[in-house]
Amino acid sequence: MERDKQLDFYRGLSMIYVVCFIHVVYWLKIGAEPIKSLMLFEMPLIFFISGASLSFNKTPRRFKQVFFNRMVRVVIPYYVYAIVSVVVLAIVTMLWQLDISSIKESMFAANYHIDITLYSLRNICSILALHNIPQFPFVNHLWFIWPYLILSCTFELQKRILTKVNEGGYLIVCIFLFLASQWVTENLWIRCVFCYNIFMVMGYCYYRQISIKARLLLLGISLLLIIILQISGNNLVPMQDHKFPPDAVFLFYNLFILALFSLIFSKVRIPEFKWIRWWNERGYTIYLYQNFAFSIIFPFVNTTGNDYTSWKYFSLCAISVFVLMSLLSSIVYPLERKVVKWLLNIK
């Protein structure tokens, strides 16, 4: 089946939105409610797009093949990122021990104690387990890796199931399983897997395959459920409380947003821009290394005297992150590709 370029553009724009909008707002503490809460629809969109991408090749693949593909595309790039991060931490530690005042006086050093010599076995295991890069700031985004790995590796099983059952019925079962999971556990990864699987299934089954009437119906039902939840005391604001771990409020709000976007983008086509193509091709790499850009920008955040709720200040930070990550990706993405190629060629 012919590649859907619009889907590639959606993926590139989604990554820009995550890095340059969501994380600028939340990591640099810019903006105010309820705008901050209304912005939190990025991850459901990403999983919907992932499911839609899989729908272009519905031929079943063996688990071994899928697992190998995910190791190459997800795990190896993470370990390259982890090694680069540890090297940077070692350099900062060395500069600190050399008593360079500019390092010690920076906001980066003042807020984060960097000393890689304090690394323990537990810290090393945390890195190896794809959990964290201890001492490196702004690494909360790494939570995404395990839910994405689990869903992308196991989705082949769901593809086989979907060939034998009604797609709408299967989606309803997925929704009920997630709603049940929030009564059973508070575990972030379990709840994320059940929640984001709903959007992945929707992308796989319904991308460009659903009528306007069905989209309007989803829009109306999800809005009604949001109102019911709001009346029953489940306030939408702050949405961050509903995202980690995800709950019914987060689910139905994002179903509403997804239905709304599907109506809009059924009529709107995104023109091709080189920078959107870059952020699509290098999206995962940019996602991993984004904390480098935030670590560079952060020392200046509390020293500029700006109004942290102003659009001008937000725009300055967002553009800075966009430029820094576009430039940094031009270095780390080729490095990552070379490492992957070298590993694949080892006999």
Side-chain angles (χ1 to χ4, degrees), residues 116-252:
I116 201 170
T117 63
L118 298 177
Y119 258 35
S120 64
L121 179 60
R122 183 176 182 179
N123 294 143
I124 296 171
C125 289
S126 181
I127 294 174
L128 295 176
L130 288 68
H131 288 177
N132 189 18
I133 309 295
Q135 297 186 14
F136 214 120
F138 302 111
V139 291
N140 291 336
H141 62 301
L142 298 180
W143 71 266
F144 166 84
I145 296 177
W146 270 110
Y148 179 73
L149 262 181
I150 292 169
L151 285 174
S152 59
C153 285
T154 60
F155 203 78
E156 285 299 315
L157 175 60
Q158 296 194 74
K159 285 169 64 175
R160 290 184 171 88
I161 295 173
L162 284 165
T163 61
K164 302 176 181 179
V165 301
N166 177 270
E167 292 178 344
Y170 184 79
L171 180 61
I172 291 172
V173 170
C174 290
I175 292 173
F176 275 109
L177 284 174
F178 166 66
L179 294 176
S181 74
Q182 70 176 353
W183 295 101
V184 174
T185 181
E186 291 293 319
N187 183 276
L188 174 65
W189 288 348
I190 294 175
R191 294 266 286 271
C192 282
V193 166
F194 279 105
C195 180
Y196 293 122
N197 182 60
I198 295 169
F199 299 101
M200 204 162 175
V201 170
M202 289 181 71
Y204 181 79
C205 295
Y206 299 118
Y207 176 67
R208 298 197 184 283
Q209 302 295 324
I210 188 171
S211 67
I212 296 295
K213 186 182 292 186
R215 297 176 198 188
L216 289 171
L217 181 62
L218 176 60
L219 191 74
I221 292 174
S222 55
L223 179 59
L224 177 61
L225 290 170
I226 290 169
I227 293 171
I228 292 172
L229 287 168
Q230 183 78 16
I231 293 173
S232 63
N234 296 282
N235 295 324
L236 268 69
V237 179
M239 184 62 71
Q240 189 82 337
D241 292 345
H242 300 292
K243 180 182 179 181
F244 293 108
D247 61 12
V249 174
F250 183 75
L251 170 64
F252 293 125

Side-chain angles (χ1 to χ4, degrees), residues 53-158:
S53 299
L54 291 172
S55 71
F56 286 87
N57 183 10
K58 295 192 175 184
T59 304
R61 294 183 297 173
R62 292 184 302 171
F63 175 78
K64 181 179 179 181
Q65 182 183 0
V66 175
F67 181 79
F68 179 77
N69 179 271
R70 293 301 92 186
M71 292 301 104
V72 171
R73 291 180 174 271
V74 178
V75 177
I76 293 177
Y78 164 80
Y79 282 126
V80 174
Y81 157 77
I83 292 170
V84 172
S85 298
V86 170
V87 169
V88 170
L89 289 174
I91 292 171
V92 173
T93 299
M94 180 182 67
L95 293 175
W96 179 278
Q97 292 175 347
L98 290 175
D99 197 29
I100 296 178
S101 60
S102 60
I103 295 293
K104 287 195 171 185
E105 291 173 1
S106 71
M107 287 296 294
F108 179 85
N111 286 272
Y112 300 96
H113 183 64
I114 308 298
D115 187 352
I116 201 170
T117 63
L118 298 177
Y119 258 35
S120 64
L121 179 60
R122 183 176 182 179
N123 294 143
I124 296 171
C125 289
S126 181
I127 294 174
L128 295 176
L130 288 68
H131 288 177
N132 189 18
I133 309 295
Q135 297 186 14
F136 214 120
F138 302 111
V139 291
N140 291 336
H141 62 301
L142 298 180
W143 71 266
F144 166 84
I145 296 177
W146 270 110
Y148 179 73
L149 262 181
I150 292 169
L151 285 174
S152 59
C153 285
T154 60
F155 203 78
E156 285 299 315
L157 175 60
Q158 296 194 74

